[in-house]
């Protein structure tokens, strides 16, 4: 029967998971104390919370918040990198650290309600940061990338589900030679006519 301490630990970790935008799982087997300290510091600098949680407790918390699909990853030593508001930050920090520390193995993740494989976590880590994405959205709304900006705006509402769409739209947005626009016909002189009541202007559609 679970002890009071374990019940409380499950409740507390459930609250952390429930409010998270991104969760990345790692196997830290082989990392020494100094390496773990560096990883914790880099996570902290990026606003990422780094938790080591027993799998038995993690399974209960995952089941409680409905993060389906994570259970197969809960084998062996696990550490959780969690960010409450950013979908990319944890993936970036862990991917960069793993390049220099081969003992850190990324298992997968859960971002914006979607289960991510290792390859999807790596793809997520290669995307621009949240601030850069916001700047691209604003720039796209004012330039020839307006259609592309729609995809970026969708990312901010549900980022992980449109990673592939983002890559395709970015490739399609490469500049091409513009075709000369057809000249607009000159406005015809209004013909003389009997004065009539002015028609009301058509309403302007909201943008």
């Amino acid at each position: 029967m679970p002890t009071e301490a374990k019940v409380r630990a499950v409740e507390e970790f459930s609250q952390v998971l429930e409010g998270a935008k991104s969760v990345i799982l790692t196997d830290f087997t082989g990392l020494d104390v100094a390496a773990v300290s560096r990883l914790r510091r880099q996570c902290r600098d990026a606003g990422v919370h780094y938790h080591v949680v027993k799998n038995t407790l993690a399974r209960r918390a995952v089941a409680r918040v409905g993060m389906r699909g994570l259970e197969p990853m809960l084998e062996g030593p696990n550490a959780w990198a969690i960010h409450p508001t950013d979908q990319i930050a944890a993936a970036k920090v862990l991917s960069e650290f793993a390049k220099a520390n081969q003992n850190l193995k990324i298992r997968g993740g859960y971002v914006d309600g979607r289960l991510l494989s290792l390859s999807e976590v790596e793809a997520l880590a290669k995307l621009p940061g949240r601030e850069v994405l916001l700047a691209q959205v604003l720039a796209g709304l004012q330039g020839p990338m307006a259609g592309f900006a729609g995809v970026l705006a969708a990312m901010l509402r549900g980022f992980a589900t449109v990673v592939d769409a983002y890559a395709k739209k970015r490739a399609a947005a490469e500049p091409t030679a513009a075709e000369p626009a057809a000249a607009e016909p000159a406005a015809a002189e209004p013909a003389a006519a009997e004065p009539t009541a002015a028609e009301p202007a058509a309403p302007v559609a909201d943008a």
Side-chain angles (χ1 to χ4, degrees), residues 158-189:
F159 192 90
T161 60
V162 290
V163 170
D164 292 337
Y166 171 90
K168 292 175 183 177
K169 285 290 183 180
R170 189 174 183 88
E174 292 295 325
T176 56
E179 295 182 1
E184 295 184 0
E189 291 293 330

Side-chain angles (χ1 to χ4, degrees), residues 15-83:
Q15 291 175 1
V16 172
L17 293 178
E18 197 166 25
K21 278 289 185 183
S22 63
V23 174
I24 308 297
L25 272 74
T26 63
D27 177 355
F28 58 93
T29 303
L31 288 182
D32 57 26
V33 174
V36 172
S37 296
R38 289 196 304 273
L39 178 56
R40 286 185 182 276
R41 183 169 59 253
Q42 291 177 22
C43 285
R44 185 170 57 250
D45 291 345
V48 177
H49 304 290
Y50 192 76
H51 301 264
V52 176
V53 181
K54 290 183 178 180
N55 290 331
T56 53
L57 302 181
R59 288 189 185 94
R60 295 173 189 165
V62 164
R64 178 174 293 189
V65 301
M67 288 186 170
R68 302 180 186 279
L70 286 177
E71 294 85 356
M73 302 181 194
L74 303 182
E75 299 292 340
N78 262 315
W80 301 66
I82 301 170
H83 201 293

Side-chain angles (χ1 to χ4, degrees), residues 4-5 12 40 45 47 51 66 69 71 77 99 117-118 132 139 156 163 170 178 189 200 203-204 207:
E4 182 179 347
E12 291 174 354
R40 286 185 182 276
D45 291 345
H51 301 264
E71 294 85 356
K99 290 177 183 177
S117 65
L118 168 59
V132 176
L156 299 179
V163 170
R170 189 174 183 88
E189 291 293 330
V204 179

